[in-house]
Amino acid sequence: MRSDVTTQICKRYVAIMILSFVHHVTASVTHYSIPEEMKEGSVVANLATDLSLDVKTLSKREMRLDLIANKKYLDVNKETGELYVAEKIDREYLCTKTLTSCYLKMEIILENPVRIFNIELEILDMNDNAPQFRRDIIHLDISESTPTGERFSLSNAVDPDVGLNSVKTYYLSNSEHFNIEVQTGREGSKFADLILKKTLDREQHAVHNLILTAVDGGTPARSGTASVIVQVLDTNDNAPIFDKQIYSVKILENSPIGSLVIHLNATDLDEGSNSDIKYSYSLYTSEKTQETFNLNPSTGEITVKGMLNYEDFRIYDMEVIATDKGANSLSGQCTLKIIVEDMNDNHPELSIKSFQSPVSENIELDTVIAVVSVSDKDSGENGVVDLHVPDNMPFKLRESSDNYYELVVSEPLDREKVPEYDITFTVTDRGSPPLSDNETMTLELLDVNDNVPQFPQSFYTIRVMENNAPGALLSSLTAFDPDLHENQYLVYFILEKEIANTSMSMLFSINPENGNLYALKTFDYEIEKEFLFHIEARDSGSPPLSSNVTVHIIVVDQNDNAPVIVSPWRAHGSVVEEKIPRSTDKGSLVAKVIALDTDSVHNSRITYQFLQVTDATLFSLDQYNGEIRTMRMFSYRDPRHQRLVVVAKDNGVPALSATVTIKLSTVETAVKAYSDMTEVPLEYDIFSDLNLYLVIGLGSVSFLLLITILVTIVLKCQKPNTSKAAPPCRNSVISERNSTIADSTLVSNDAYWYSLFLAETRKGKLVVRQPVPKGSRYIVSSLPRSTGMSETSDSAASTLQV
């Protein structure tokens, strides 16, 4: 056991001896130098080449770097033997500024055999730091009395770099009063002294702002700046100065004690106590002046101290001194002249000798309303007075004699615009300040009937629904009269006007007191559609005045008339019987229903529809013209008798209607009820017998319809209160028997004509429906299909003789 321990100790000793030998052998130092701030991974040197080592054995010999520093700035590549930068090196951080040289010491250690190489790496300085001042702002207080050439120490700049890269010199911004001188310290550091080259004047330039720049010697050079603020301290080198050397001021007599006369102001360009000023009288100012006026030593205000009397003393002269409070006080002075002026202390007076009120509003121009006198006890300009009234009134003053004035009317008066005037007479003297007096009188105006009644509108349109109740209020037509009393009371009349021998007073009534307009009867739109008349409003003045307004009464239609079916004609409550051949083609005209409505256009628009029909597939009805046509040809299965109920409905609300029942009988073509029931060209004459009762009935109805149409035309077209012929009216359809010409069209409203013939407009043929009276003659007009029932369309006429 002991022998093993002894053996180990021997081995260690031998190793130590070998290492000591190797260290002695490798004690030589390899020197390198690099600049600071090299990038990581930059190669410093190839140790294998420089130390004559085999690159292939470096890994086996466990080559390593032992760096004598806190951080591992460098490392060695065992594959290539290169020494490279592992971390950026900051020379200013690694070495102190006092060291001119900065080294990193390290050892390269290899095993088998053990060898140690000493490496010394010098870190060269780079200009990577700019100079910096310890304080960015340097404050200096310098008195304005400081002599030129005086020096003032400034704070120096510090640069962490060394050598040429440290602070080299200083520069000062352009200044009229200062420059610098650069000094070198014992350790080679640079600093600057501020030198005053021109005398300072605080009153001209109280603060000097300078820029001090420190520049190093690196390439490129870096710099740093600091602001130098020089505050100039004041000395008492300026005397107080008044705004003026000579003052002249005027003051009125009897000014109250304490009144301000003048505020003297002296200024001192110095500051602090050197600019504080006190005011005083000079020895040349009389005692009388000092007793009459008070001088405030702090503010320089001169106020009235005793009573001022223009008759006793008119001018006061004085000298005022302004002295500062500096150590060596300086002073300035001025001269003041105070002139006492006469005071306008008497007010002017006015007296109204005559005043006429009330007056009529239609008073003539230049009529005298009042007489006024004025006076003033003062003299000179203070005793001269002026009298005036407001400019915005229709009056003017006219001087009649010395200090006497007349008030006259200068513009027309209108009580309705201004019922009364408050006239203020103002008298003013020409003193300074002027004194005045005034007196107000009220002028009332009497009303004159000079305004006609006025309606809000010149034309009234009033709509009245027909079938109105008699006595219904239609509207209130109220006029306004701005006059007063009886000139304002209005009475309303309807100006008489006859229409169709009917007076307006029989149709309408107006309340004479309030203008309410009433209807005296029930109006029927179908008879009377509108009325036009005038209403007059008359006041109760003397003479009375009046105006009128036009009233247009429009009767509004109600749907109060049901349609009247005029074709096919039938006795009241009877059924219309028609016969048609069973061989009638599809689309043939069977019958035409025509209805008339006497209401207005909107309410009289008529539409037709089937109310009942035996076979809905056999007949069609045009809802607008009432034509009944076959939709197909008759078959042997169709009944021989067809019953059609047609309703004619107007467009009113609620709608009114009328119905007609048509019984159709079909006959075979071979067997005819009448030998004349054949289609005949329009140019041939047709002869047959006519039922006497049918002729009498149709003639009576046609005669009554003709009389009604003629009466309506006369009433419509007659102009009131004139003898002129009535204007042309709408053409009427007239039908007569036995050698009387009856004008008709295929769309005629003549019921009698439609009871005799059936017009098939598509084929251009006229079919005889029943026996026609012998010797009758008819004029038939053919209209274009697109014109419908228009009475103004172009037509072609032909004559049918029976």
Side-chain angles (χ1 to χ4, degrees), residues 11 64 71 145 191 242 255 274 305 312 362 377 426 429 504 516 520 551 571 715 790:
K11 289 181 178 180
R64 67 181 183 274
K71 295 183 179 181
S145 61
F191 60 90
F242 283 93
S255 295
N274 296 330
K305 186 178 180 181
D312 293 343
N362 61 350
K377 296 179 180 178
T426 303
D429 62 22
M504 285 294 106
N516 288 344
L520 297 181
V551 179
L715 292 177
S790 172

mmCIF file of all heavy atoms in Angstrom, residues 11 64 71 145 191 242 255 274 305 312 362 377 426 429 504 516 520 551 571 715 790:
data_model
loop_
_atom_site.group_PDB
_atom_site.id
_atom_site.type_symbol
_atom_site.label_atom_id
_atom_site.label_comp_id
_atom_site.label_asym_id
_atom_site.label_seq_id
_atom_site.Cartn_x
_atom_site.Cartn_y
_atom_site.Cartn_z
ATOM 1 N N LYS A 11 5.615 9.815 -9.817
ATOM 2 C CA LYS A 11 5.120 10.177 -11.152
ATOM 3 C C LYS A 11 4.738 11.638 -11.219
ATOM 4 O O LYS A 11 5.000 12.327 -12.215
ATOM 5 C CB LYS A 11 3.936 9.285 -11.502
ATOM 6 C CG LYS A 11 4.319 7.843 -11.776
ATOM 7 C CD LYS A 11 3.082 7.020 -12.138
ATOM 8 C CE LYS A 11 3.445 5.574 -12.459
ATOM 9 N NZ LYS A 11 2.269 4.759 -12.816
ATOM 10 N N ARG A 64 -5.879 24.134 -26.887
ATOM 11 C CA ARG A 64 -6.845 24.992 -26.232
ATOM 12 C C ARG A 64 -6.227 26.352 -25.960
ATOM 13 O O ARG A 64 -5.002 26.487 -25.928
ATOM 14 C CB ARG A 64 -7.394 24.376 -24.944
ATOM 15 C CG ARG A 64 -6.385 24.227 -23.827
ATOM 16 C CD ARG A 64 -7.043 23.575 -22.612
ATOM 17 N NE ARG A 64 -6.132 23.477 -21.499
ATOM 18 C CZ ARG A 64 -5.287 22.483 -21.305
ATOM 19 N NH1 ARG A 64 -5.234 21.444 -22.159
ATOM 20 N NH2 ARG A 64 -4.479 22.473 -20.250
ATOM 21 N N LYS A 71 -13.782 37.856 -19.880
ATOM 22 C CA LYS A 71 -14.611 37.352 -20.963
ATOM 23 C C LYS A 71 -13.741 36.613 -21.956
ATOM 24 O O LYS A 71 -12.529 36.854 -22.061
ATOM 25 C CB LYS A 71 -15.338 38.491 -21.683
ATOM 26 C CG LYS A 71 -16.347 39.216 -20.827
ATOM 27 C CD LYS A 71 -17.066 40.278 -21.639
ATOM 28 C CE LYS A 71 -18.102 41.001 -20.826
ATOM 29 N NZ LYS A 71 -18.819 42.021 -21.615
ATOM 30 N N SER A 145 -20.134 95.807 -16.270
ATOM 31 C CA SER A 145 -18.968 96.677 -16.044
ATOM 32 C C SER A 145 -17.650 95.914 -16.091
ATOM 33 O O SER A 145 -16.587 96.488 -15.818
ATOM 34 C CB SER A 145 -19.115 97.377 -14.688
ATOM 35 O OG SER A 145 -19.175 96.405 -13.639
ATOM 36 N N PHE A 191 -8.521 72.088 -22.512
ATOM 37 C CA PHE A 191 -9.646 72.826 -21.964
ATOM 38 C C PHE A 191 -9.613 74.233 -22.541
ATOM 39 O O PHE A 191 -8.592 74.650 -23.105
ATOM 40 C CB PHE A 191 -9.615 72.838 -20.434
ATOM 41 C CG PHE A 191 -8.378 73.480 -19.839
ATOM 42 C CD1 PHE A 191 -8.336 74.838 -19.561
ATOM 43 C CD2 PHE A 191 -7.247 72.715 -19.580
ATOM 44 C CE1 PHE A 191 -7.209 75.416 -19.024
ATOM 45 C CE2 PHE A 191 -6.123 73.291 -19.046
ATOM 46 C CZ PHE A 191 -6.083 74.645 -18.764
ATOM 47 N N PHE A 242 -37.812 111.084 -18.914
ATOM 48 C CA PHE A 242 -39.246 111.317 -19.077
ATOM 49 C C PHE A 242 -39.645 111.112 -20.549
ATOM 50 O O PHE A 242 -38.805 111.220 -21.454
ATOM 51 C CB PHE A 242 -39.616 112.732 -18.648
ATOM 52 C CG PHE A 242 -39.676 112.903 -17.152
ATOM 53 C CD1 PHE A 242 -38.555 113.344 -16.445
ATOM 54 C CD2 PHE A 242 -40.841 112.612 -16.458
ATOM 55 C CE1 PHE A 242 -38.618 113.500 -15.082
ATOM 56 C CE2 PHE A 242 -40.893 112.782 -15.084
ATOM 57 C CZ PHE A 242 -39.770 113.217 -14.382
ATOM 58 N N SER A 255 -62.617 121.669 -10.897
ATOM 59 C CA SER A 255 -62.368 120.234 -10.889
ATOM 60 C C SER A 255 -62.309 119.746 -9.453
ATOM 61 O O SER A 255 -61.706 120.402 -8.585
ATOM 62 C CB SER A 255 -61.049 119.908 -11.599
ATOM 63 O OG SER A 255 -61.138 120.240 -12.966
ATOM 64 N N ASN A 274 -31.863 99.659 -9.421
ATOM 65 C CA ASN A 274 -31.330 100.711 -10.287
ATOM 66 C C ASN A 274 -32.404 101.315 -11.189
ATOM 67 O O ASN A 274 -32.179 102.379 -11.766
ATOM 68 C CB ASN A 274 -30.212 100.145 -11.165
ATOM 69 C CG ASN A 274 -29.023 99.676 -10.340
ATOM 70 O OD1 ASN A 274 -28.757 100.221 -9.269
ATOM 71 N ND2 ASN A 274 -28.320 98.658 -10.826
ATOM 72 N N LYS A 305 -55.108 119.320 -5.587
ATOM 73 C CA LYS A 305 -55.006 119.354 -4.124
ATOM 74 C C LYS A 305 -55.850 120.485 -3.533
ATOM 75 O O LYS A 305 -56.352 120.376 -2.406
ATOM 76 C CB LYS A 305 -53.541 119.522 -3.733
ATOM 77 C CG LYS A 305 -53.239 119.427 -2.252
ATOM 78 C CD LYS A 305 -51.738 119.564 -2.019
ATOM 79 C CE LYS A 305 -51.381 119.484 -0.546
ATOM 80 N NZ LYS A 305 -49.920 119.634 -0.327
ATOM 81 N N ASP A 312 -58.943 133.499 -10.711
ATOM 82 C CA ASP A 312 -57.831 133.791 -9.795
ATOM 83 C C ASP A 312 -56.480 133.430 -10.397
ATOM 84 O O ASP A 312 -55.522 134.208 -10.306
ATOM 85 C CB ASP A 312 -58.006 133.025 -8.478
ATOM 86 C CG ASP A 312 -59.210 133.527 -7.683
ATOM 87 O OD1 ASP A 312 -59.679 134.639 -7.998
ATOM 88 O OD2 ASP A 312 -59.697 132.795 -6.808
ATOM 89 N N ASN A 362 -104.559 113.847 -41.774
ATOM 90 C CA ASN A 362 -104.401 114.421 -43.112
ATOM 91 C C ASN A 362 -104.057 115.903 -43.047
ATOM 92 O O ASN A 362 -104.374 116.663 -43.963
ATOM 93 C CB ASN A 362 -105.658 114.209 -43.940
ATOM 94 C CG ASN A 362 -106.888 114.883 -43.314
ATOM 95 O OD1 ASN A 362 -106.818 115.342 -42.172
ATOM 96 N ND2 ASN A 362 -107.990 114.940 -44.048
ATOM 97 N N LYS A 377 -77.404 130.994 -19.872
ATOM 98 C CA LYS A 377 -76.820 132.085 -19.096
ATOM 99 C C LYS A 377 -75.317 132.212 -19.313
ATOM 100 O O LYS A 377 -74.725 133.211 -18.906
ATOM 101 C CB LYS A 377 -77.107 131.884 -17.614
ATOM 102 C CG LYS A 377 -78.589 131.946 -17.276
ATOM 103 C CD LYS A 377 -78.821 131.718 -15.796
ATOM 104 C CE LYS A 377 -80.321 131.771 -15.463
ATOM 105 N NZ LYS A 377 -80.579 131.507 -14.019
ATOM 106 N N THR A 426 -84.615 118.794 -27.758
ATOM 107 C CA THR A 426 -83.326 118.770 -27.057
ATOM 108 C C THR A 426 -82.565 120.040 -27.390
ATOM 109 O O THR A 426 -82.343 120.352 -28.573
ATOM 110 C CB THR A 426 -82.501 117.535 -27.473
ATOM 111 O OG1 THR A 426 -83.252 116.352 -27.207
ATOM 112 C CG2 THR A 426 -81.197 117.465 -26.703
ATOM 113 N N ASP A 429 -75.821 123.350 -25.635
ATOM 114 C CA ASP A 429 -74.900 124.464 -25.880
ATOM 115 C C ASP A 429 -73.637 123.950 -26.545
ATOM 116 O O ASP A 429 -73.455 122.737 -26.738
ATOM 117 C CB ASP A 429 -74.603 125.230 -24.588
ATOM 118 C CG ASP A 429 -73.920 124.361 -23.545
ATOM 119 O OD1 ASP A 429 -73.306 123.334 -23.927
ATOM 120 O OD2 ASP A 429 -73.997 124.666 -22.339
ATOM 121 N N MET A 504 -128.238 86.298 -58.050
ATOM 122 C CA MET A 504 -127.295 85.667 -57.118
ATOM 123 C C MET A 504 -127.835 85.668 -55.690
ATOM 124 O O MET A 504 -127.526 84.786 -54.898
ATOM 125 C CB MET A 504 -125.942 86.393 -57.158
ATOM 126 C CG MET A 504 -125.112 86.114 -58.382
ATOM 127 S SD MET A 504 -124.557 84.407 -58.499
ATOM 128 C CE MET A 504 -125.655 83.830 -59.788
ATOM 129 N N ASN A 516 -119.802 85.737 -43.594
ATOM 130 C CA ASN A 516 -120.039 84.316 -43.810
ATOM 131 C C ASN A 516 -120.957 84.126 -45.023
ATOM 132 O O ASN A 516 -122.024 84.730 -45.104
ATOM 133 C CB ASN A 516 -120.682 83.678 -42.583
ATOM 134 C CG ASN A 516 -119.699 83.562 -41.437
ATOM 135 O OD1 ASN A 516 -118.489 83.671 -41.639
ATOM 136 N ND2 ASN A 516 -120.193 83.348 -40.221
ATOM 137 N N LEU A 520 -128.249 79.111 -50.477
ATOM 138 C CA LEU A 520 -129.685 79.174 -50.196
ATOM 139 C C LEU A 520 -130.460 78.025 -50.830
ATOM 140 O O LEU A 520 -131.648 77.857 -50.536
ATOM 141 C CB LEU A 520 -130.257 80.512 -50.681
ATOM 142 C CG LEU A 520 -129.694 81.765 -49.998
ATOM 143 C CD1 LEU A 520 -130.364 83.018 -50.560
ATOM 144 C CD2 LEU A 520 -129.869 81.686 -48.479
ATOM 145 N N VAL A 551 -115.669 85.832 -56.418
ATOM 146 C CA VAL A 551 -115.908 84.526 -55.816
ATOM 147 C C VAL A 551 -116.295 83.566 -56.929
ATOM 148 O O VAL A 551 -117.195 83.842 -57.731
ATOM 149 C CB VAL A 551 -117.023 84.589 -54.749
ATOM 150 C CG1 VAL A 551 -117.260 83.197 -54.148
ATOM 151 C CG2 VAL A 551 -116.633 85.573 -53.650
ATOM 152 N N ALA A 571 -139.497 48.776 -73.724
ATOM 153 C CA ALA A 571 -140.430 49.432 -72.804
ATOM 154 C C ALA A 571 -139.971 49.180 -71.380
ATOM 155 O O ALA A 571 -139.206 48.273 -71.103
ATOM 156 C CB ALA A 571 -141.838 48.891 -73.040
ATOM 157 N N LEU A 715 -129.319 76.439 -72.114
ATOM 158 C CA LEU A 715 -128.853 76.865 -70.775
ATOM 159 C C LEU A 715 -127.333 76.907 -70.699
ATOM 160 O O LEU A 715 -126.755 77.775 -70.032
ATOM 161 C CB LEU A 715 -129.410 75.924 -69.705
ATOM 162 C CG LEU A 715 -130.930 75.977 -69.486
ATOM 163 C CD1 LEU A 715 -131.357 74.937 -68.459
ATOM 164 C CD2 LEU A 715 -131.364 77.372 -69.031
ATOM 165 N N SER A 790 -115.912 58.685 -80.443
ATOM 166 C CA SER A 790 -115.556 60.093 -80.568
ATOM 167 C C SER A 790 -116.444 60.771 -81.583
ATOM 168 O O SER A 790 -116.645 60.278 -82.684
ATOM 169 C CB SER A 790 -114.085 60.206 -80.972
ATOM 170 O OG SER A 790 -113.799 61.526 -81.276
#
